Amino acid sequence: MDKDFLKEQLNCLRNEMTHLWGSTFLFGGSSLMLLLRGVSPLEYIIGIIGLVAAIVFFKAYIIKRNKTVRIVNKLKEINNEL
């Protein structure tokens, strides 16, 4: 693979990871606040939905992180060949 393409792909992945990480904390924190405050059943339901969304975002972050590690390893292999 082309080294420049891998670097650009790595930059895009890091940008996506930043957004996913921020979304995880935003949804997780807001959901915990709703669950702990929980005045009405609607707040509990929204809090649980938010926690599920935070878990989904965190799993997506981990998938992107694994892909980033693979790209970095490919770049190391390319540098070692040169």
Side-chain angles (χ1 to χ4, degrees):
M1 287 199 144
D2 186 35
K3 189 175 179 179
D4 292 330
F5 172 75
L6 289 175
K7 285 183 179 180
E8 187 62 32
Q9 191 176 18
L10 191 61
N11 286 334
C12 290
L13 281 171
R14 282 188 294 176
N15 191 23
E16 289 175 20
M17 287 172 63
T18 301
H19 293 296
L20 286 169
W21 190 251
S23 298
T24 299
F25 276 95
L26 180 70
F27 272 88
S30 300
S31 300
L32 284 176
M33 185 271 309
L34 284 173
L35 287 173
L36 293 176
R37 183 176 158 233
V39 176
S40 69
L42 181 62
E43 287 182 355
Y44 285 117
I45 293 170
I46 293 173
I48 290 170
I49 291 170
L51 281 180
V52 170
I55 291 168
V56 169
F57 287 141
F58 184 71
K59 286 187 177 200
Y61 175 85
I62 295 299
I63 290 169
K64 298 289 183 183
R65 184 190 174 281
N66 291 339
K67 192 171 183 179
T68 302
V69 169
R70 285 194 303 269
I71 292 173
V72 168
N73 288 336
K74 283 181 188 178
L75 284 171
K76 284 181 185 178
E77 289 174 8
I78 291 172
N79 282 338
N80 288 338
E81 290 175 2
L82 298 177

